[in-house]
Amino acid sequence: MRIRRVPVLAVAAIGAVLLTGCQPSELEADPSLTAGASSAAATPSDNRSPASDDTQGGTRRVVDAAQAGGLPKATGEAALSDLPVDPGDMRDGMNLVEQLYLRKDSQGREANVLVVAVDNVPEETTTRREYLFRGMLDHLKWEDTPPQAEPIGDPGPLGGSVECLLASFVEDGDVICGWADDTTAGVVHFPNSTVPEAEKLIVAMRADLEK
């Protein structure tokens, strides 16, 4: 199953992106998540539900960090020149970070990490996370049944919930992890990784990507 991609407004050539605008869908199409192209100026609803009782208090935003979890942001010719993953409907008051961070795997192979994160989400942040999971799988051209994401034991000091899935038929392959808390949601692609490695790294990266 592949999700229908939603056009992103007012976004062109950007490696690291901080925008305004917002919204996605559950695993299946949700009209409220794909109708945002014509409602960029709409006022977000106030019925947002927290992703977890463990989420630490306060409103956080996603930021275009120069480093995330010790990984440097790709710049110059290595930087992103477009948006490979649809972040969903972006509304006024939202920020988007879609960024590449440089990493090598345990064998010294290039295994750069792609981050897609949004804040001030008007729907449930877990819903946006599911949308981003599907978008990342689509980016990876995953044609099989979507893998099941599993929660990790410790989401780290920022709380919320963090889930990871293995988009590979081998233990060491493409891992996608995503988080959702009161106001932000994001997913991260870790190529040439194992789930335990990715779980540790996403917790470290969130400390730099959320402020």
Side-chain angles (χ1 to χ4, degrees), residues 147 170 194:
V170 294
T194 64

Side-chain angles (χ1 to χ4, degrees), residues 11-15 17 80-82:
V11 184
I14 359 181
V17 195
L80 289 178
S81 59
D82 60 5

Side-chain angles (χ1 to χ4, degrees), residues 59-110:
T59 299
R60 291 194 294 269
R61 309 302 297 264
V62 295
V63 298
D64 178 19
Q67 288 196 13
L71 304 179
K73 179 174 67 175
T75 58
E77 293 183 357
L80 289 178
S81 59
D82 60 5
L83 297 178
V85 176
D86 173 23
D89 181 24
M90 296 297 298
R91 299 182 179 184
D92 287 344
M94 294 182 66
N95 290 322
L96 163 67
V97 171
E98 190 150 347
Q99 184 59 268
L100 196 64
Y101 288 89
L102 303 178
R103 168 179 170 263
K104 292 188 181 297
D105 65 14
S106 58
Q107 300 181 36
R109 298 171 296 182
E110 184 178 279

Side-chain angles (χ1 to χ4, degrees), residues 192-203:
N192 302 339
S193 179
T194 64
V195 171
E197 290 171 345
E199 288 178 349
K200 292 179 182 178
L201 194 48
I202 190 173
V203 170

Side-chain angles (χ1 to χ4, degrees), residues 14-18 62-65 67-69 71-74 80 82-87 96-102 111-118 132 136 139 175-179 185-191 201-202 204-206 208-210:
I14 359 181
V17 195
L18 251 77
V62 295
V63 298
D64 178 19
Q67 288 196 13
L71 304 179
K73 179 174 67 175
L80 289 178
D82 60 5
L83 297 178
V85 176
D86 173 23
L96 163 67
V97 171
E98 190 150 347
Q99 184 59 268
L100 196 64
Y101 288 89
L102 303 178
N112 297 335
V113 173
L114 178 61
V115 173
V116 185
V118 294
L132 295 176
M136 191 68 81
H139 169 62
V175 179
I176 304 172
C177 293
W179 80 83
V187 296
V188 186
H189 169 224
F190 301 99
L201 194 48
I202 190 173
M205 293 182 76
R206 280 185 72 198
D208 296 312
L209 294 168
E210 285 191 68

Side-chain angles (χ1 to χ4, degrees), residues 4-164:
R4 180 170 66 84
R5 299 173 71 86
V6 184
V8 181
L9 295 181
V11 184
I14 359 181
V17 195
L18 251 77
L19 302 183
T20 41
C22 169
Q23 217 168 198
S25 118
E26 196 82 6
L27 296 184
E28 302 301 331
D30 181 341
S32 71
L33 300 178
T34 57
S38 61
S39 61
T43 302
S45 64
D46 292 325
N47 61 353
R48 184 189 305 116
S49 299
S52 167
D53 292 338
D54 296 330
T55 302
Q56 305 302 310
T59 299
R60 291 194 294 269
R61 309 302 297 264
V62 295
V63 298
D64 178 19
Q67 288 196 13
L71 304 179
K73 179 174 67 175
T75 58
E77 293 183 357
L80 289 178
S81 59
D82 60 5
L83 297 178
V85 176
D86 173 23
D89 181 24
M90 296 297 298
R91 299 182 179 184
D92 287 344
M94 294 182 66
N95 290 322
L96 163 67
V97 171
E98 190 150 347
Q99 184 59 268
L100 196 64
Y101 288 89
L102 303 178
R103 168 179 170 263
K104 292 188 181 297
D105 65 14
S106 58
Q107 300 181 36
R109 298 171 296 182
E110 184 178 279
N112 297 335
V113 173
L114 178 61
V115 173
V116 185
V118 294
D119 62 26
N120 201 20
V121 177
E123 76 276 11
E124 290 190 14
T125 55
T126 52
T127 299
R128 179 62 64 105
R129 178 178 60 188
E130 294 298 332
Y131 186 87
L132 295 176
F133 266 130
R134 288 301 188 92
M136 191 68 81
L137 287 169
D138 189 51
H139 169 62
L140 296 178
K141 296 180 170 50
W142 181 262
E143 300 286 351
D144 227 322
T145 302
Q148 180 66 44
E150 299 291 344
I152 71 172
D154 181 5
L158 293 179
S161 65
V162 180
E163 298 181 349
C164 293

